[in-house]
Amino acid sequence: MADILDNLAKEVDKINDSQAADEKEENQSSVMDDLLSGEEIRFPQVGDVVEGTVIEVSSSALYLDIDPFGTGIVLGREIKDGMGSGKLKAGDKIAATIIDPENEEGYIELSIREASYEKAWDDIESKRDTQEKVATKVLSANKGGLLIEVNGISGFLPVSQLSSKNYPRVEDGDKNKILTLLKKLVSQELEVRIIDADRESGKLIVSEKAAQKEKDQQIISGLKIGDVVEGEISGVVDFGAFIKFFPPTVKPEEMSEEDRLEGLVHISELAWQLIENPRDVVKVGSKVQAKIIGIDNDKISLSIRALEKDPWSNIEEKYKVGDVVKGMVHKINHFGAFVYLDKDIHGLAHISEMAELFPGKNIDELIKAGESYDWKILSIESKEHRMGLALTDKKKESKKEEKSEKKEKTEKTEKKEKKTKKKAE
């Protein structure tokens, strides 16, 4: 029985060998037919990418059948640098670039690395054009962003293109602190979109923010101006503060941390009073409520002060034009001084008013920041949150009032005397 099976196996091998020989003969005859028919045969040149079948794999060389032109060879480092070449085995088909049509040993010398490089760029350019999302691994970090890799090609992810989740919010903008936070992302895999790719210069720029944008916009579409959200301060900068929050219609347990949205509270929307440094008002990690006051694509504008009563709404009950009140100088600049009458209400004492009332005097000679003085209210515009003030001296004002009263009294007396005289005549 064993002899019969061995004989059958030998017969099958003969058939296979015969078929392979026939196929080879057909290919050769096809090339010969083309030559005899006078049709031009183009032999591969340096730089051409050809497909071959792996014949043999060794530690120092890889042999390919480049049918019908001959045997190709991939030498040394080219085997290790070629993408996926470490897993190649006899019978596999791979693409390679010709670097020498015929070397000293008569082989077609090939490069897997070059063919892989071109293929990698083809794929990168395709994904750039279609804006397909790409998974990339973070290799290292510098103060400007992250070094990444796509298809074995090195690229860059700028800090400005990080998603709100990974963006380094550093209160004082210290670049060393930013770098420390960026380094925590090394070895992580991020989902990005390719926003710039140039094969010739080797430039590859990706954006995590662009990959997240579509998802954010879908969630944002459920928001509306006037919604009140609860969240926490995720970052404080010179121009305001950022708040991370879940949409008000969604329960936090129904969404992951990555799904939180982020909005900006401009410095002018943090509180009703004047603010020079947002860090004096809010701190990172603080829980706050805010009102949505603007939505522009994926940008959300928030207001904390909108949820508080406007202290200017009933200002006429506290202050009236003509009143002389105490006020502390908050800040002095080239056009005048900002003065607080109380913790919420402030006014502007314009420099022109001081020049008129105190001719020849410099503003720094008259007032100092942090000191309190007497001010006369010249105007009140509650809707615009504006108040006009003038520095005054109570003694001078008292003398002016006495003089005015005396003048008024004199004028009344003179009028009375004139009437009496007229009647007598």
Side-chain angles (χ1 to χ4, degrees):
M1 184 68 175
D3 292 339
I4 294 171
L5 292 174
D6 287 340
N7 290 330
L8 284 172
K10 287 176 182 177
E11 289 301 319
V12 171
D13 288 341
K14 283 180 183 179
I15 293 169
N16 289 338
D17 291 342
S18 176
Q19 287 176 344
D22 289 342
E23 287 176 7
K24 189 170 184 181
E25 190 175 334
E26 281 177 17
N27 289 333
Q28 287 173 344
S29 64
S30 175
V31 174
M32 185 61 71
D33 288 342
D34 290 342
L35 287 169
L36 292 172
S37 66
E39 290 186 20
E40 185 179 346
I41 301 297
R42 184 184 181 280
F43 287 89
Q45 304 295 315
V46 173
D48 285 353
V49 177
V50 295
E51 187 177 70
T53 305
V54 177
I55 301 170
E56 183 184 342
V57 181
S58 71
S59 59
S60 59
L62 176 70
Y63 296 92
L64 302 174
D65 178 18
I66 311 298
D67 189 39
F69 302 107
T71 303
I73 186 169
V74 182
L75 296 169
R77 188 174 175 183
E78 283 289 338
I79 302 171
K80 295 180 181 178
D81 289 348
M83 288 179 135
S85 60
K87 298 178 182 178
L88 290 175
K89 62 184 183 300
D92 288 346
K93 290 186 179 294
I94 61 167
T97 303
I98 295 176
I99 57 178
D100 187 348
E102 186 177 3
N103 66 9
E104 294 176 356
E105 297 176 348
Y107 292 112
I108 302 170
E109 196 164 328
L110 304 162
S111 168
I112 298 177
R113 178 174 53 186
E114 285 191 28
S116 299
Y117 181 80
E118 295 303 319
K119 191 176 179 181
W121 271 107
D122 287 342
D123 183 59
I124 284 170
E125 288 171 351
S126 173
K127 285 181 167 65
R128 175 200 61 193
D129 297 339
T130 59
Q131 281 298 284
E132 183 181 336
K133 293 180 183 179
V134 180
T136 183
K137 191 174 183 180
V138 179
L139 303 177
S140 61
N142 59 39
K143 292 177 182 178
L146 303 172
L147 296 176
I148 53 88
E149 185 180 74
V150 178
N151 291 352
I153 306 294
S154 296
F156 189 61
L157 199 172
V159 172
S160 61
Q161 294 301 318
L162 284 166
S163 67
S164 60
K165 174 196 169 189
N166 291 320
Y167 190 88
R169 305 284 184 202
V170 176
E171 289 195 29
D172 54 4
D174 188 312
K175 290 187 176 181
N176 291 321
K177 290 180 182 177
I178 291 173
L179 180 57
T180 300
L181 292 175
L182 291 176
K183 283 181 177 178
K184 292 181 179 179
L185 298 173
V186 173
S187 296
Q188 287 191 28
E189 194 171 88
L190 304 178
E191 192 175 55
V192 300
R193 276 195 168 106
I194 296 165
I195 58 176
D196 193 6
D198 187 343
R199 190 184 306 219
E200 287 187 15
S201 63
K203 182 172 73 171
L204 175 62
I205 308 294
V206 302
S207 170
E208 186 192 23
K209 185 165 67 174
Q212 185 73 20
K213 188 175 181 180
E214 189 178 301
K215 188 176 181 181
D216 285 349
Q217 284 182 333
Q218 188 176 358
I219 301 172
I220 289 170
S221 65
L223 300 177
K224 61 182 184 296
I225 293 174
D227 283 348
V228 176
V229 299
E230 289 187 30
E232 70 174 44
I233 304 295
S234 56
V236 184
V237 290
D238 292 339
F239 54 85
F242 291 91
I243 298 177
K244 281 189 176 181
F245 64 93
F246 288 109
T249 55
V250 179
K251 294 178 181 178
E253 58 269 20
E254 295 176 356
M255 298 179 73
S256 67
E257 192 67 19
E258 295 178 6
D259 293 326
R260 284 203 302 175
L261 297 172
E262 188 171 54
L264 171 66
V265 183
H266 190 266
I267 186 171
S268 61
E269 293 295 333
L270 286 170
W272 287 107
Q273 61 263 43
L274 287 173
I275 297 171
E276 285 186 29
N277 187 349
R279 299 167 186 85
D280 296 335
V281 182
V282 290
K283 304 293 180 187
V284 172
S286 299
K287 306 290 183 183
V288 293
Q289 281 191 325
K291 187 176 184 179
I292 297 175
I293 58 173
I295 300 173
D296 182 12
N297 291 322
D298 60 337
K299 293 180 180 177
I300 304 169
S301 298
L302 303 170
S303 174
I304 292 176
R305 78 174 193 175
L307 298 178
E308 300 171 354
K309 185 180 178 182
D310 182 357
W312 289 76
S313 60
N314 61 347
I315 190 171
E316 287 82 2
E317 297 175 11
K318 296 175 70 176
Y319 304 106
K320 290 181 175 56
V321 173
D323 287 351
V324 175
V325 293
K326 278 279 185 189
M328 186 187 76
V329 177
H330 176 68
K331 187 178 181 181
I332 301 171
N333 53 36
H334 64 282
F335 56 81
F338 285 102
V339 179
Y340 268 99
L341 305 190
D342 56 44
K343 69 180 183 69
D344 296 314
I345 305 300
H346 64 273
L348 174 66
H350 201 274
I351 196 165
S352 59
E353 295 289 343
M354 296 194 187
E356 187 179 331
L357 292 169
F358 303 92
K361 291 280 188 180
N362 189 296
I363 190 169
D364 294 324
E365 296 178 74
L366 298 169
I367 56 175
K368 295 188 185 303
E371 298 290 330
S372 294
Y373 301 89
D374 291 319
W375 305 90
K376 185 175 184 178
I377 299 175
L378 303 178
S379 63
I380 297 175
E381 297 172 69
S382 57
K383 287 184 179 179
E384 288 75 24
H385 294 179
R386 288 201 296 254
M387 178 186 287
L389 301 171
L391 182 64
T392 185
D393 187 321
K394 279 194 172 180
K395 290 181 181 178
K396 284 186 179 180
E397 284 294 317
S398 180
K399 286 181 180 179
K400 280 184 182 179
E401 286 177 9
E402 285 178 13
K403 197 173 181 181
S404 178
E405 286 176 4
K406 191 175 181 181
K407 185 179 178 182
E408 192 178 337
K409 196 173 182 180
T410 302
E411 286 175 351
K412 284 181 180 179
T413 303
E414 286 177 352
K415 282 181 182 179
K416 194 174 181 181
E417 287 177 352
K418 282 181 181 179
K419 283 183 180 179
T420 304
K421 189 176 180 182
K422 197 172 183 181
K423 282 181 180 180
E425 288 176 351

